């Protein structure tokens, strides 16, 4: 083979193992050109989405270049939503579903989401999170997990995969080998999961074993150090974890996708190009990139790094070709799955809202205090969310409550404002609530000291206040009237507003 022909083939192989994002609601010329040159996948984010119909036009435009193109999306429902980022998800997230613990409901919610994604032309969803949230201080998983019990998480991982794939959209279990017992956000730095092998096998791996048994054909690696299996390299860059553990021990033979390769956990040490080469060398078949670095130049850089690594002897050409082969195999399978997908629109405000209502829990004090009959003042305590949650995605209880009780007023307070003294709870929370109900909305108060202090101070001043916790339930104020939604999706906000305005069921 001539050198020019070989370099062209190497470039095609390198393109085929990338899953890049891009900016815009129509396909840029460079993306269409790269698809023609071998790019086999793209990934959509909220910046690409206006409506299901618009995404369907976009995916049709992309697939005109390659009918088997893998179109991926990072859509978990609940707090992490792309397809409904502008409105908030009409379906609750994993923690709410795990709280209800009805696998048939979880399957129905995932099938409903699958129908919406299928109608939009999506063929691969980077979900579900199969992580067991065993560390309540985890800054990145939390309500994205079905819970802290491996059996519950395994049960609902299976149901979610079954439901999504019944609608013609491929699932992707993440973040292998389990991101639930860490205390660092891998978007910024490298977390470590320091448990021993036996504990990992008992705590983190059961949901991934269940996912493989359920027929999942894609698994996403996590950017975390797991010293019991590899003391030096994070999972995404570790052959011991991706080959020895995932392929050999768990028997997974499908597509291994990396978590976003531009994340600080791997780029701080290796750079985005170095991390890409090491990931493919370790056993990753498809590199997700472009959540942040969505330019043509990034794809060009990674293609150059992969081809140079092959010609320089750092990356065996057989490994790159093997990864490309798995991508092609997955593309054919997912195209067939898409062709067999269920027709019809998603139920929209049907099963998602049913599930959100079923996940709501009230304390005895809350039951005694409800329903509200006068328009309340709502204080929403807003944390800085992790990068997986879109900053544009609305959340809270004030808006749906205002629809049910006109005259409802609200304020949103951030920790930095309280710490700087630019906002005082006395003037923004207690004074406007004088002579009327006070509703306090928190989101992971147990994880944020300022929020916990605010809740404690407000309930001390107003013992009749009702606290709505939209994150992980913490110890809280035992005497306070509390409502737990187990997630902050739009559906969960509506369910909380309903709980506040309707007499509790006996």
């Amino acid at each position: 083979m001539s050198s020019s022909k070989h370099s062209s083939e190497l470039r095609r192989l390198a393109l085929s193992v990338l899953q890049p994002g891009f900016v815009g609601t129509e396909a840029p010329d460079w993306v269409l050109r790269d698809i023609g040159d071998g790019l086999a996948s793209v990934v959509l984010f909220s910046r690409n989405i206006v409506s299901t119909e618009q995404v369907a036009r976009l995916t049709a435009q992309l697939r005109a270049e390659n009918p088997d193109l893998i179109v991926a999306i990072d859509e978990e429902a609940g707090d992490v939503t792309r397809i409904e980022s502008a409105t908030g998800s009409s379906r609750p997230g994993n923690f709410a579903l795990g709280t209800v613990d009805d696998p048939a409901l979880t399957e129905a919610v995932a099938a409903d989401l699958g129908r919406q994604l299928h109608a939009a032309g999506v063929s691969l969803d980077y979900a579900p999170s199969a992580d067991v949230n065993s560390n309540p201080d985890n800054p990145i998983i939390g309500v994205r997990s079905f819970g802290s019990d491996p059996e519950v998480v395994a049960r609902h991982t299976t149901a979610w995969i079954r439901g999504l794939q019944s609608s013609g959209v491929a699932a992707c279990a993440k973040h292998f080998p389990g991101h639930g017992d860490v205390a660092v956000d891998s978007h910024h730095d490298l977390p470590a999961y320091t448990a021993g092998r036996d504990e990992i096998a008992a705590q983190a791996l059961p949901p991934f074993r269940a996912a493989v048994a359920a027929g999942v054909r894609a698994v996403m690696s996590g950017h975390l150090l797991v010293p019991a299996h590899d003391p030096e390299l994070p999972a995404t860059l570790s052959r011991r974890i991706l080959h020895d553990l995932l392929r050999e021990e768990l028997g997974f033979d499908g597509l291994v996708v990396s978590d976003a390769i531009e994340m600080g956990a791997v780029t701080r040490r290796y750079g985005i190009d170095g991390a890409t080469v090491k990931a493919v060398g370790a056993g990753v078949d498809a590199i997700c990139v472009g959540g942040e670095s969505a330019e043509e130049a990034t794809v060009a850089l990674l293609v150059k790094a992969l081809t140079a690594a092959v010609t320089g002897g750092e990356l065996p050409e057989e490994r790159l070709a093997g990864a490309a082969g798995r991508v092609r195999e997955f593309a054919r399978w997912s195209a067939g799955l898409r062709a067999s997908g269920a027709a019809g629109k998603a139920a929209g405000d049907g099963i998602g809202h049913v599930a959100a209502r079923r996940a709501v829990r009230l304390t005895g004090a809350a039951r005694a205090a409800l329903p509200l009959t006068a328009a309340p003042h709502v204080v929403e305590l807003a944390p800085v969310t992790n990068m997986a949650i879109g900053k544009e995605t609305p959340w809270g209880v004030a808006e749906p409550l205002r629809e049910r009780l006109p005259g409802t007023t609200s304020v949103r307070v951030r920790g930095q404002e309280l710490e700087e003294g630019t906002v005082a709870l006395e003037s923004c929370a207690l004074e406007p609530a004088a002579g009327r109900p006070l509703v306090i909305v928190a989101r992971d108060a147990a994880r944020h000291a300022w929020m916990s202090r605010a809740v404690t101070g407000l309930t001390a001043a107003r013992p009749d206040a009702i606290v709505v916790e939209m994150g992980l339930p913490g110890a809280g104020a035992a005497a306070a009237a509390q409502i737990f939604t187990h997630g902050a999706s739009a559906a969960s906000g509506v369910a909380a507003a309903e709980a506040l305005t309707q007499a509790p069921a006996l």
Side-chain angles (χ1 to χ4, degrees), residues 350-429:
I351 192 66
H353 283 85
V354 169
R357 290 183 197 107
R358 288 183 61 186
V360 171
R361 301 289 183 269
L362 281 68
T363 62
R367 289 182 174 278
L370 296 177
L372 297 179
T373 53
H377 182 57
V378 181
V379 181
E380 294 178 335
L381 303 172
V384 175
T385 54
N386 63 64
M387 288 178 67
I389 299 170
K391 286 182 170 54
E392 74 284 353
T393 304
W395 67 279
V397 178
E399 284 304 317
L401 199 51
R402 194 171 287 118
E403 293 173 9
R404 288 156 180 79
L405 287 174
T408 295
T409 56
S410 65
V411 64
R412 185 162 284 190
V413 179
R414 293 165 179 81
Q416 186 178 356
E417 296 169 329
L418 293 179
E419 288 162 8
E420 292 173 348
T422 54
V423 166
L425 290 176
E426 180 69 32
S427 57
C428 77

Side-chain angles (χ1 to χ4, degrees), residues 379-383 395 413 415 418 425 429-430 438-472 474-484:
V379 181
E380 294 178 335
L381 303 172
W395 67 279
V413 179
L418 293 179
L425 290 176
L430 294 174
L438 174 63
V439 176
I440 305 160
V441 182
R443 195 171 180 181
D444 286 326
R447 278 195 52 245
H448 302 283
W450 72 267
M451 193 182 299
S452 183
R453 286 194 300 271
V455 171
T456 300
L458 289 171
T459 52
R462 284 287 302 267
D464 63 330
I466 298 172
V467 179
V468 180
E469 172 56 80
M470 302 193 80
L472 292 177
Q482 296 181 80
I483 296 173
F484 302 99

Side-chain angles (χ1 to χ4, degrees), residues 20-372:
F22 57 89
V23 176
T25 55
E26 296 184 359
D29 289 342
W30 69 266
V31 171
L32 299 175
R33 191 165 56 247
D34 280 353
I35 294 171
D37 289 346
L39 185 69
S41 316
V42 296
V43 56
L44 304 180
F45 293 95
S46 55
R47 62 182 176 230
N48 307 118
I49 295 165
V50 175
S51 66
T52 301
E53 295 73 22
Q54 167 266 324
V55 179
R57 291 192 296 273
L58 170 59
T59 55
Q61 180 190 16
L62 291 163
R63 286 208 176 91
E65 304 296 323
N66 173 8
D68 285 353
L69 183 77
I70 300 165
V71 178
I73 194 169
D74 185 22
E75 173 60 54
E76 300 176 14
D79 290 27
V80 179
T81 181
R82 312 299 176 210
I83 201 74
E84 296 183 295
S85 66
T87 58
S89 179
S90 57
R91 305 166 185 93
N94 286 0
F95 188 53
L97 294 171
T99 297
V100 178
D101 198 11
D102 178 353
L105 179 68
T106 295
E107 186 171 340
V109 170
D112 183 56
L113 173 62
R115 285 190 290 274
Q116 183 176 11
L117 296 180
H118 183 269
V122 170
S123 56
L124 169 62
D125 186 8
Y126 294 150
S129 166
D131 306 296
V132 179
N133 197 62
S134 45
N135 182 350
D137 290 327
N138 192 322
I140 185 64
I141 302 299
V143 295
R144 299 168 66 191
S145 166
F146 289 111
S148 58
D149 182 331
E151 290 187 12
V152 170
V153 178
R155 189 157 58 237
H156 290 275
T157 294
T158 295
W160 214 95
I161 291 166
R162 191 182 294 135
L164 187 76
Q165 296 193 164
S166 74
S167 296
V169 178
C172 177
K174 64 185 184 185
H175 307 80
F176 189 81
H179 215 303
D181 195 18
V182 301
V184 171
D185 183 346
S186 52
H187 287 91
H188 306 298
D189 212 338
L190 180 64
Y193 179 22
T194 57
R197 287 194 178 211
D198 290 346
E199 185 180 343
I200 292 168
Q203 179 192 68
L205 296 183
F208 290 99
R209 291 187 186 278
V212 173
V216 82
R217 297 286 288 270
V219 168
M220 178 176 280
S221 64
H223 299 329
L224 69 160
L225 195 68
V226 189
H229 286 279
D230 191 328
E232 296 177 3
L233 295 168
T236 297
L237 314 182
S238 170
R239 179 172 170 82
R240 295 182 191 177
I241 291 172
L242 299 183
H243 182 270
D244 299 356
L245 182 58
L246 178 58
R247 295 229 183 267
E248 295 296 326
E249 189 174 323
L250 268 64
F252 178 67
D253 193 36
L255 187 75
V256 175
V257 184
S258 77
D259 203 349
I261 204 67
E262 64 261 50
M263 287 164 63
V266 290
T267 57
R268 278 191 166 199
R269 183 169 177 185
Y270 302 103
I272 191 170
D273 46 352
T276 294
V277 170
K278 285 186 175 297
V280 174
V284 169
D285 304 306
I287 299 290
C288 170
V289 63
E292 303 301 312
S293 305
E295 309 81 20
E296 179 181 7
T298 300
V299 173
L301 173 68
L302 300 189
V303 167
K304 182 179 179 182
L306 288 166
T307 55
V310 171
T311 55
E314 181 186 353
L315 176 66
E317 185 171 346
E318 306 79 58
R319 169 77 276 268
L320 182 61
R326 275 213 169 86
V327 171
R328 284 194 302 273
E329 182 184 349
F330 181 88
R332 285 192 296 269
W333 172 78
S334 62
L337 184 69
R338 190 163 51 87
S340 68
K345 292 186 177 179
D349 63 356
I351 192 66
H353 283 85
V354 169
R357 290 183 197 107
R358 288 183 61 186
V360 171
R361 301 289 183 269
L362 281 68
T363 62
R367 289 182 174 278
L370 296 177
L372 297 179

